[in-house]
Amino acid sequence: MKHWNSTLGSGFILMGILNDSLSPELICATITVLYMLALTSNCLLLLAITTDARLHVPMYLLLRQLSLMDLLFTSVVTPKAIVDFLLSENTISFVGCALQMFLALTLGGAEDLLLAFMAYDRYVAICHPLDYMVLMRPRVCWLMVATSWILASLSAIVYTVYTMHYPFCKAHEISHLLCEIPPLLKLACADTSRYELMVYAMGVTFLIPPLVAILASYTLVLLTVLHMPSNEGRQKALVTCSSHLTVVGMFYGAATFMYVLPSSLHSPKQDNIISVFYTIVTPALNPLIYSLRNKEVMGALRRILGKYMLWTHS
């Protein structure tokens, strides 16, 4: 195959799910609605946690970061996909592709680590409540947040630079919703087997240890909850943890399929569906899962709405 010039002036064509479906208009409308839902719900959650002093506690500090990551993650991918479909223009520049890959890897990696820290927060709150404010003091919380962002961004920049250094073949159509490592490697005119092994190792390293930590934390939480004398306390703990586990299941299921399963088990159609799930569906559902089942968040939103109504009528 001939090479094409993969320089700063070159580009790719993103052949995402909208170009490969029987009802692209319906799917575009659905994706638009999900994006608007993600935008609205995450912004409301950020507003509630930031403005309500009652929510200035470790759990909500971490939840605010999760909401910010979800908002940025879906905004890196969805608006471009919608605009490209409406304008029938699916190209992305070489630099734009690299930037999208870096941002997606950073935000996905940061969320992966943050979910593990959120599980630890619930473990400490339920299993060691008397030590909670010491073990989860503000400095520790911010260290968790900083660790998530820094480790994810460092990993992302290494893998982005290495992926984009390959020469790509003339058929520069990416059969995917966004620029990600697995579909891009299929266009490389070089032996990528060793690098694919590195990507697999990265997926295992970033996904499996946090997942094990999450499962261990919630196992200990469940054992503690079952021995709680108070039915109300038991119910509140189960509601909070079940919300967290729902988010964990959606995120880790999609990420494991994309980065841990061997490439031989992948197909472009499956990869597109999975990418829609973790870049569009999950960011839209996360704030609803947390807020609709959380009395503190719903109370904060009602207070904000009440203040807004008073302000508009004054």
Side-chain angles (χ1 to χ4, degrees):
M1 241 183 210
K2 295 179 181 177
H3 292 187
W4 63 284
N5 186 19
S6 59
T7 61
L8 297 183
S10 305
F12 298 93
I13 299 173
L14 288 170
M15 303 298 292
I17 193 168
L18 293 174
N19 302 92
D20 192 34
S21 62
L22 298 175
S23 306
E25 292 84 5
L26 178 61
I27 293 178
C28 183
T30 303
I31 287 175
T32 303
V33 169
L34 284 171
Y35 179 64
M36 295 308 297
L37 178 62
L39 205 63
T40 304
S41 56
N42 280 294
C43 284
L44 283 174
L45 193 55
L46 284 169
L47 179 66
I49 295 172
T50 303
T51 58
D52 196 306
R54 296 176 183 86
L55 301 183
H56 292 176
V57 294
M59 183 179 88
Y60 293 109
L61 186 151
L62 298 176
L63 181 56
R64 181 172 62 180
Q65 288 296 315
L66 179 68
S67 196
L68 177 63
M69 290 170 185
D70 279 337
L71 183 62
L72 294 175
F73 200 178
T74 192
S75 296
V76 165
V77 178
T78 315
K80 175 168 176 54
I82 295 169
V83 171
D84 282 356
F85 175 75
L86 295 176
L87 300 179
S88 300
E89 178 65 50
N90 300 322
T91 60
I92 185 169
S93 67
F94 184 86
V95 173
C97 186
L99 180 61
Q100 189 182 59
M101 181 188 296
F102 168 73
L103 292 174
L105 287 172
T106 298
L107 293 163
E111 184 165 336
D112 163 50
L113 295 172
L114 187 71
L115 287 171
F117 289 133
M118 290 176 74
Y120 173 75
D121 169 75
R122 291 300 81 205
Y123 161 73
V124 175
I126 295 170
C127 300
H128 302 282
L130 298 179
D131 300 322
Y132 182 68
M133 294 313 295
V134 175
L135 295 174
M136 292 299 297
R137 57 192 180 276
R139 181 179 293 182
V140 173
C141 291
W142 285 114
L143 181 61
M144 290 177 172
V145 171
T147 300
S148 300
W149 283 105
I150 292 170
L151 288 182
S153 59
L154 289 175
S155 173
I157 198 166
V158 170
Y159 281 96
T160 300
V161 170
Y162 203 86
T163 301
M164 301 306 287
H165 97 283
Y166 280 109
F168 296 102
C169 294
K170 191 172 182 179
H172 54 288
E173 293 182 353
I174 303 174
S175 300
H176 203 54
L177 181 67
L178 70 155
C179 287
E180 277 195 287
I181 297 173
L184 262 173
L185 290 182
K186 293 177 182 177
L187 305 182
C189 295
D191 180 16
T192 61
S193 56
R194 287 187 179 180
Y195 181 55
E196 285 180 34
L197 189 61
M198 284 176 58
V199 172
Y200 172 78
M202 181 267 291
V204 170
T205 302
F206 250 85
L207 290 171
I208 303 304
L211 183 57
V212 169
I214 289 169
L215 294 176
S217 295
Y218 284 118
T219 299
L220 294 171
V221 164
L222 182 60
L223 292 173
T224 303
V225 166
L226 292 175
H227 290 89
M228 279 184 174
S230 167
N231 284 331
E232 184 181 349
R234 188 186 305 127
Q235 185 177 1
K236 183 178 179 181
L238 287 173
V239 166
T240 303
C241 293
S242 62
S243 298
H244 289 200
L245 284 172
T246 304
V247 172
V248 166
M250 291 193 302
F251 179 82
Y252 279 89
T256 300
F257 182 92
M258 199 68 191
Y259 284 97
V260 176
L261 286 186
S263 57
S264 58
L265 299 178
H266 288 233
S267 73
K269 191 170 184 179
Q270 285 177 328
D271 288 354
N272 263 319
I273 293 170
I274 293 296
S275 67
V276 167
F277 199 82
Y278 63 75
T279 60
I280 301 171
V281 177
T282 303
L285 294 180
N286 279 358
L288 298 179
I289 291 169
Y290 280 110
S291 61
L292 291 179
R293 301 179 67 185
N294 190 300
K295 292 180 181 179
E296 287 86 356
V297 173
M298 293 304 293
L301 289 173
R302 280 193 290 269
R303 286 189 288 273
I304 291 170
L305 182 61
K307 288 179 183 177
Y308 176 76
M309 296 297 288
L310 287 172
W311 180 76
T312 53
H313 288 90
S314 60

